[in-house]
Amino acid sequence: MGNNNIPIIYSIKTDNGRLVSCSEIHLPQAEKPLGRIHAFFEDKQNNIWIITGSGLLVKPYNQKNIELVSLALGTITGITEDMRGIIWIGTQSKGLFQLNIPKNHDFSHVHPILYASEEVLTSNHLRAICADLKGHLWIGTKEGNIIRYDILSHTFTDLSKQFTFMNESIISMLIDDFGDLWISTNKRLIEYDPVNQAMRVYTTTDGVAVSSFRGNSYYKDSSGKLYFGGNKGISAFNPSVHLSGNPTPNKVWISDIKINNQSLLVSNNNKNKLHLNGQTLNLEPSDKNIEINFSTLNYTFASKIRYAYKLEGVDNDWIYTDKNRQFATYSQLRKGSHRFHVKATDENNLWSDQVTELLIYKRPAYYETNGAYLLYVSCFLLAMFLVFRWTRNRIKLKNELRIAQIEKDKSEELTQVKLRYFTNITHDFLTPLTIVSCLIDDAEITSRGGNPQFKAMRSHIERLRRLLQQVLDFRKIESNNMKLSLSHGDIVAFIKQTCFKQFIPLMEKKEIDFRFHAEPAQIHAYFDTDKLDKILYNLLSNAEKYTPPKGQVGIELTLGKTARKDHLVIKVTDTGMGIPSEKQPHIFTRFYNNDIAFSGESNGIGLSLTKELVELHHGRIFVSSAPGKGSTFTVIIPIGKDSCGERESYPLASSIPEEKKNEPLVFNHMPDPVPEQNVENGTTILVVEDNQELLSLIANLLSAHYQIITASNGVEALSIIQTHDIDIIISDVMMPEMDGFELCITLKKNIETSHIPIILLTAKSSTEDRVECYKVGADAYISKPFQLQVLEARIQNFLTNRKNKQKEFRAAAEINISRLEYQTIDEQFLVRVVQVIEKNISDTEFDINLLANSLHISKSALYRKLKMMTGLSPVEFIRNIRLKHACQLLKNEFISIAEVTYQVGFSSPRYFATCFKNEFNMTPTEYQKILAV
């Protein structure tokens, strides 16, 4: 073959092996080089097929020209013709193709058709292909698979399992005159009979000179003799019919048995285990690893014989060995009888019908005997009995614990019911106390004199409020809702103020000598003022109650320091009757009443609450007492900055001036009268309260200065607000149908009512309760019982502050919505109103109707909201915004008054000047001159 531009091939024509002629043939020109010529193939019509590196060519019979059939097949590895005259082509990577030969030998329009790919074949890497006379197509792959295709039934069959010893790539395949298939790999040649699956392998050990065969290097001459080429020349084979016979009988013998790697035939101690005549093997329990060797004793074709063995009960199927393995191994055989089977093939790989058997019996170990199993069953039954007893006792104990837990839960539930009952009673008590407090205020205002009885009445109201608050605090501790709220200040001054404020009058009445001592005199600490006040109140109240007249009560404060943190030691001593030692462990138990004098005055939760509050403050409390000698309660609480974990710091609410620390403190419970303030008449207040007596009392007391509307619950209040202009709402928290919190949330979310100030009245007075009230949007919070002057002062503060803010907003030359200090939703509403007005600032026809439509709100609702928030009607508010914009324009000294008039939406300069003077007390010209100076 020449170069790639002008390919040339020399054709040799033969006649039954005789050289007839030799001619030179030019190959056709191709778009790309055809590559090397790999093989030639002559079909039944004497067409010569030429396989090159990248294409398939054909020289038709009696023609000199060679035609190019295809360049799209890639590397062609094999070509053959079946009995019908169809050409089959095997490729290296694209699968199997078929090609029909035209009868007129016109190959110009012939194209190979893809017949099978990897979807039906195990591999696309085909290496060899040939067809027999029975309608079968044989395919060999690169992976060593042998595939048979039935041309008539169109089925593929993978026969690779019959060639398990072969793991080499197939390089050539050829059918001899007897129908046997010859398969060559790199190192061996296999003769295979497709009828009885007999096969014979030829290697160098069988006298074959070639040790490495070449692909497509094979030939069958006219006499049927086969030639295969390789590295050392050509090996010739003359096929015969010897593979088609019956298998040769081939008996297998047991050649040796090894136990634990020791042969029974060599060791004298193990001869009794093996009986070759009876083909039996007796094993001891200690015999673990067994190796059975077998052989046919045929040394002529030893390398061509294969074996298969099976042990009943262990192997599910026959285990086939390769030619190098003639033994079977087993480990950890079970006790009892086993039957071992072994068989072999002849030299043609045909399995013999003779099967050798070996009976194996293994004696049971001591733990596998019947007695051992009886012991196992006995132990199992005993264990089951013990488990049953343990389970029964466990269930019994679990039921007892469950009953105890149920009793405890019921007891706790009863306690919680009591606490809820006391809580509800407390709320019910606070409302009458509020009525009494308001009546006292009204009576004192009416009498216009300082009656000392009023002071005593307020003192008892405060005492009742504290007792009721104890129940609320106790309930809060039970539900884990009580939290510390620390502050920083002088703790000595706070405790002294609490003592003299609350208990000096009681001590003086019983002529009790009260002593206060602190060392040092000033201690700065972090503490919860509310919790510490309740702790001191309970301890001093008990001391005063159980101390007889002319006795002594004292409180001593000392500062303790350790390496970790500072702490305050508070000792409250009295000269009362004392507490017996057997009763001291129970005095801090809830609802415990001492059976001594005055115990009927105790509710049983004061000291329990005190202990809970001390522990909440991360402190400790204990008592030392003796009957007839009095008692000493000692409280130790940490006061360092890092002693209580998370906290909320704020200044102390009360403190004592330095110059008055040693003087008794006197507190006036009656606040100063609220001075009369000029408030516009017509202020409407909505009072919402479910207690009709308290509702009537508040309405009567406030009706002297305001217009009062009443409602008994939140639902009724909502209906009233829709039809009346309300300036302020005073609402109780706990009400039927809709409570104060829900009412507050509903009003604050509605843009038409969000501007109305809301004052909540409730029996809850802790910091958490105040925070909750402000979270729902309340503007003020007053605890029950409250004083009338406080309520009136809060109302007047709302009205006066709102009126002042409205005046400042109206008189200001700039638009500043934040000056009115409304909540976010109301401030955003005013911003929207101003934006709409500014968008239409030059439109003289812009009025309240267009403004309401732009805001998607009714005219009446817009009027009420703007009047309430700014003190201006919508018309006045629009005019005020126009005038404020005019002030901004007048800062330019070169602009005329007329230009400003029309830019801000006024119809005439005269009317503009009049409105400007009424709003800012000067004419536009005067304002412009002032700015120019």
Side-chain angles (χ1 to χ4, degrees):
M1 174 178 175
N3 55 33
N4 289 330
N5 295 326
I6 307 176
I8 299 174
I9 182 172
Y10 290 90
S11 164
I12 301 176
K13 184 177 181 180
T14 63
D15 182 12
N16 295 327
R18 294 183 300 106
L19 180 61
V20 176
S21 64
C22 179
S23 62
E24 180 180 296
I25 303 174
H26 293 264
L27 296 182
Q29 293 288 342
E31 296 179 357
K32 60 180 181 178
L34 297 175
R36 295 174 56 193
I37 295 176
H38 290 168
F40 294 92
F41 176 74
E42 184 176 5
D43 59 26
K44 297 176 182 179
Q45 299 182 22
N46 300 117
N47 300 313
I48 305 299
W49 298 85
I50 306 169
I51 300 174
T52 68
S54 60
L56 176 65
L57 300 93
V58 62
K59 176 188 175 299
Y61 177 68
N62 290 331
Q63 294 184 17
K64 293 185 177 181
N65 295 329
I66 297 179
E67 297 183 12
L68 178 64
V69 177
S70 176
L71 291 174
L73 299 179
T75 302
I76 298 174
T77 56
I79 184 169
T80 188
E81 182 181 10
D82 64 13
M83 60 182 181
R84 301 176 301 174
I86 297 176
I87 299 297
W88 296 88
I89 303 169
T91 64
Q92 183 172 336
S93 60
K94 295 187 178 182
L96 181 66
F97 292 82
Q98 70 174 7
L99 186 66
N100 294 323
I101 303 176
K103 295 182 179 180
N104 56 2
H105 298 282
D106 182 9
F107 293 90
S108 59
H109 299 289
V110 174
H111 298 286
I113 300 173
L114 177 64
Y115 186 78
S117 62
E118 195 173 357
E119 296 177 358
V120 293
L121 297 172
T122 57
S123 172
N124 273 339
H125 299 288
L126 309 184
R127 296 297 300 272
I129 182 172
C130 68
D132 59 18
L133 298 178
K134 296 181 180 181
H136 295 147
L137 189 69
W138 297 88
I139 303 169
T141 68
K142 180 181 179 181
E143 293 79 11
N145 298 323
I146 304 296
I147 302 172
R148 183 181 65 192
Y149 172 65
D150 193 325
I151 299 175
L152 299 178
S153 62
H154 304 287
T155 57
F156 288 89
T157 304
D158 191 349
L159 303 178
S160 303
K161 292 183 178 180
Q162 298 182 20
F163 301 83
T164 54
F165 58 90
M166 185 173 64
N167 55 5
E168 300 176 17
S169 175
I170 308 299
I171 61 176
S172 298
M173 300 179 74
L174 185 63
I175 297 293
D176 63 15
D177 292 340
F178 298 98
D180 291 348
L181 176 67
W182 292 75
I183 305 168
S184 67
T185 67
N186 186 39
K187 296 181 179 180
R188 70 185 76 191
L189 184 66
I190 303 100
E191 181 183 4
Y192 173 71
D193 186 353
V195 177
N196 60 3
Q197 288 82 44
M199 68 179 67
R200 175 172 290 185
V201 180
Y202 299 96
T203 62
T204 54
T205 59
D206 300 303
V208 179
V210 176
S211 61
S212 178
F213 293 95
R214 295 287 184 263
N216 290 322
S217 180
Y218 60 91
Y219 177 70
K220 182 177 72 171
D221 62 15
S222 59
S223 64
K225 194 173 185 178
L226 306 181
Y227 301 89
F228 292 91
N231 59 342
K232 296 182 179 179
I234 299 175
S235 294
F237 296 88
N238 192 11
S240 62
V241 295
H242 65 275
L243 290 180
S244 60
N246 296 323
T248 303
N250 208 3
K251 181 177 178 59
V252 182
W253 301 89
I254 304 298
S255 59
D256 193 7
I257 295 179
K258 295 180 180 179
I259 298 178
N260 298 330
N261 209 26
Q262 292 184 357
S263 174
L264 296 182
L265 300 180
V266 177
S267 176
N268 296 326
N269 297 330
N270 296 326
K271 286 186 177 180
N272 294 328
K273 292 183 178 182
L274 178 62
H275 301 280
L276 293 178
N277 295 331
Q279 293 290 295
T280 60
L281 174 65
N282 298 317
L283 300 176
E284 297 296 329
S286 59
D287 296 338
K288 302 298 182 182
N289 298 319
I290 302 171
E291 180 180 319
I292 304 175
N293 293 271
F294 39 79
S295 176
T296 59
L297 304 181
N298 185 348
Y299 301 107
T300 304
F301 302 102
S303 61
K304 302 182 184 299
I305 296 176
R306 295 175 58 203
Y307 297 89
Y309 62 88
K310 177 176 67 173
L311 183 63
E312 294 181 358
V314 177
D315 301 322
N316 296 326
D317 201 355
W318 289 94
I319 297 177
Y320 296 91
T321 67
D322 56 22
K323 63 179 182 179
N324 297 322
R325 179 173 176 179
Q326 299 181 18
F327 61 89
T329 58
Y330 296 96
S331 61
Q332 304 294 336
L333 280 181
R334 298 191 305 270
K335 66 181 181 68
S337 298
H338 306 274
R339 190 175 297 274
F340 179 76
H341 305 271
V342 61
K343 63 181 180 178
T345 66
D346 59 8
E347 63 273 16
N348 295 326
N349 200 41
L350 296 177
W351 289 100
S352 174
D353 295 334
Q354 297 185 12
V355 179
T356 302
E357 296 183 356
L358 175 66
L359 182 63
I360 303 174
Y361 176 77
K362 185 177 182 180
R363 290 199 313 110
Y366 69 91
Y367 52 83
E368 295 178 321
T369 61
N370 294 333
Y373 285 123
L374 179 61
L375 178 62
Y376 299 154
V377 173
S378 301
C379 292
F380 175 76
L381 293 177
L382 178 60
M384 291 296 294
F385 174 73
L386 294 177
V387 170
F388 170 75
R389 285 192 58 185
W390 179 84
T391 305
R392 185 185 64 180
N393 295 335
R394 182 79 175 175
I395 294 174
K396 183 178 179 181
L397 178 61
K398 186 177 180 180
N399 291 334
E400 292 176 353
L401 292 176
R402 185 178 179 183
I403 294 173
Q405 183 65 35
I406 291 174
E407 293 176 351
K408 180 181 177 182
D409 294 341
K410 291 297 182 182
S411 176
E412 183 67 23
E413 183 179 353
L414 180 61
T415 301
Q416 295 299 324
V417 170
K418 291 180 181 179
L419 289 176
R420 285 195 296 270
Y421 174 75
F422 289 150
T423 303
N424 296 333
I425 290 295
T426 298
H427 287 291
D428 293 339
F429 284 166
L430 287 175
T431 298
L433 285 178
T434 303
I435 297 175
V436 174
S437 178
C438 292
L439 289 174
I440 294 172
D441 294 340
D442 185 53
E444 190 168 12
I445 294 174
T446 304
S447 63
R448 298 183 180 278
N451 192 332
Q453 293 180 354
F454 294 151
K455 181 178 181 181
M457 293 170 67
R458 286 197 178 88
S459 177
H460 285 288
I461 289 175
E462 176 64 20
R463 183 175 178 83
L464 279 174
R465 189 191 67 79
R466 278 186 171 272
L467 292 175
L468 295 174
Q469 188 62 41
Q470 281 188 355
V471 179
L472 297 177
D473 291 341
F474 197 79
R475 174 66 176 166
K476 188 171 293 186
I477 288 177
E478 286 295 310
S479 59
N480 294 323
N481 289 326
M482 184 74 77
K483 305 296 181 183
L484 272 183
S485 182
L486 299 185
S487 57
H488 181 260
D490 185 1
I491 194 171
V492 175
F494 175 80
I495 294 176
K496 186 174 183 180
Q497 182 181 15
T498 302
C499 295
F500 282 88
K501 174 182 177 181
Q502 302 291 341
F503 293 99
I504 285 297
L506 297 176
M507 302 293 183
E508 291 177 349
K509 185 176 181 180
K510 293 181 65 173
E511 298 182 0
I512 295 176
D513 181 17
F514 180 72
R515 300 179 181 181
F516 181 88
H517 176 73
E519 183 64 35
Q522 186 177 15
I523 301 175
H524 290 281
Y526 290 87
F527 60 98
D528 191 319
T529 57
D530 179 63
K531 311 302 184 297
L532 186 59
D533 175 78
K534 292 171 182 175
I535 293 170
L536 294 171
Y537 184 87
N538 282 325
L539 294 179
L540 290 173
S541 177
N542 279 346
E544 180 270 331
K545 180 167 57 177
Y546 292 108
T547 300
K550 298 184 180 181
Q552 290 184 353
V553 174
I555 183 169
E556 179 183 354
L557 307 178
T558 57
L559 178 63
K561 293 189 176 182
T562 62
R564 297 180 59 187
K565 56 186 176 182
D566 297 341
H567 58 270
L568 178 70
V569 181
I570 305 173
K571 291 185 178 181
V572 179
T573 61
D574 63 71
T575 57
M577 59 188 65
I579 306 172
S581 58
E582 67 273 9
K583 298 183 181 299
Q584 291 179 18
H586 307 290
I587 62 174
F588 295 109
T589 305
R590 68 177 73 167
F591 305 124
Y592 174 77
N593 285 324
N594 198 357
D595 57 356
I596 58 178
F598 310 111
S599 63
E601 301 179 6
S602 174
N603 52 29
I605 64 172
L607 288 178
S608 176
L609 176 63
T610 300
K611 183 175 182 295
E612 297 283 355
L613 294 176
V614 171
E615 292 177 350
L616 183 65
H617 217 294
H618 303 276
R620 294 177 291 127
I621 182 173
F622 49 89
V623 62
S624 60
S625 179
K629 296 183 180 180
S631 304
T632 300
F633 285 86
T634 303
V635 176
I636 302 176
I637 58 174
I639 58 175
K641 185 176 182 180
D642 300 326
S643 59
C644 297
E646 297 182 0
R647 59 192 169 275
E648 179 184 347
S649 299
Y650 50 85
L652 284 177
S654 58
S655 59
I656 302 176
E658 187 69 27
E659 64 275 8
K660 295 184 179 182
K661 285 184 179 178
N662 297 322
E663 299 179 7
L665 301 179
V666 180
F667 290 84
N668 184 12
H669 292 273
M670 180 68 183
D672 296 333
V674 178
E676 292 287 340
Q677 300 189 38
N678 295 325
V679 180
E680 280 189 17
N681 295 330
T683 300
T684 302
I685 298 177
L686 174 61
V687 182
V688 189
E689 171 63 57
D690 61 327
N691 186 285
Q692 293 299 322
E693 187 177 0
L694 180 58
L695 178 64
S696 301
L697 179 61
I698 296 176
N700 291 334
L701 295 178
L702 296 179
S703 60
H705 305 286
Y706 312 103
Q707 181 180 353
I708 304 299
I709 302 176
T710 61
S712 59
N713 56 61
V715 176
E716 186 178 345
L718 288 178
S719 62
I720 293 174
I721 294 172
Q722 293 176 358
T723 57
H724 294 77
D725 294 338
I726 305 300
D727 295 288
I728 295 177
I729 298 175
I730 301 173
S731 175
D732 189 16
V733 172
M734 299 183 63
M735 296 182 298
E737 296 190 44
M738 178 183 287
D739 60 16
F741 286 164
E742 189 176 355
L743 174 63
C744 189
I745 293 173
T746 303
L747 294 176
K748 292 301 181 181
K749 286 185 176 180
N750 190 349
I751 189 63
E752 296 184 5
T753 58
S754 59
H755 61 280
I756 303 176
I758 301 176
I759 301 175
L760 291 181
L761 308 177
T762 180
K764 301 179 180 180
S765 60
S766 65
T767 302
E768 294 83 359
D769 299 324
R770 290 195 296 271
V771 171
E772 186 177 2
C773 285
Y774 290 128
K775 281 183 177 180
V776 299
D779 298 275
Y781 173 97
I782 299 179
S783 302
K784 294 181 180 180
F786 58 86
Q787 298 173 15
L788 182 60
Q789 288 85 347
V790 175
L791 180 59
E792 288 184 335
R794 198 71 185 91
I795 295 173
Q796 291 187 4
N797 178 66
F798 273 131
L799 298 175
T800 304
N801 183 64
R802 184 174 62 187
K803 186 174 182 179
N804 293 335
K805 296 298 181 182
Q806 290 173 355
K807 287 182 178 179
E808 292 178 5
F809 174 79
R810 183 172 183 175
E814 297 180 353
I815 302 174
N816 188 0
I817 300 300
S818 60
R819 187 189 299 272
L820 295 172
E821 296 182 358
Y822 282 109
Q823 295 184 5
T824 303
I825 185 174
D826 295 321
E827 185 174 328
Q828 291 176 352
F829 173 76
L830 289 178
V831 170
R832 286 178 54 208
V833 174
V834 172
Q835 289 175 348
V836 173
I837 296 174
E838 290 176 341
K839 186 178 180 180
N840 302 274
I841 193 72
S842 60
D843 186 4
T844 57
E845 302 297 328
F846 184 75
D847 57 5
I848 183 176
N849 295 322
L850 296 176
L851 179 60
N853 292 335
S854 300
L855 297 173
H856 305 288
I857 191 173
S858 65
K859 291 192 296 182
S860 59
L862 177 63
Y863 181 88
R864 287 196 301 268
K865 192 169 184 69
L866 283 180
K867 189 68 175 178
M868 182 70 66
M869 296 178 65
T870 63
L872 302 172
S873 66
V875 175
E876 293 172 338
F877 188 78
I878 294 173
R879 184 167 58 242
N880 182 264
I881 298 300
R882 293 181 188 272
L883 293 174
K884 291 182 187 298
H885 271 275
C887 291
Q888 303 303 316
L889 295 174
L890 290 173
K891 291 181 180 181
N892 184 1
E893 59 181 337
F894 300 104
I895 193 172
S896 65
I897 302 301
E899 290 179 293
V900 174
T901 299
Y902 299 117
Q903 285 188 26
V904 297
F906 283 88
S907 58
S908 67
R910 178 177 295 181
Y911 178 66
F912 168 71
T914 302
C915 294
F916 193 92
K917 185 173 183 179
N918 292 337
E919 197 73 29
F920 301 112
N921 295 323
M922 64 180 70
T923 64
T925 304
E926 292 173 347
Y927 182 80
Q928 196 172 32
K929 289 180 179 180
I930 293 174
L931 294 177
V933 175

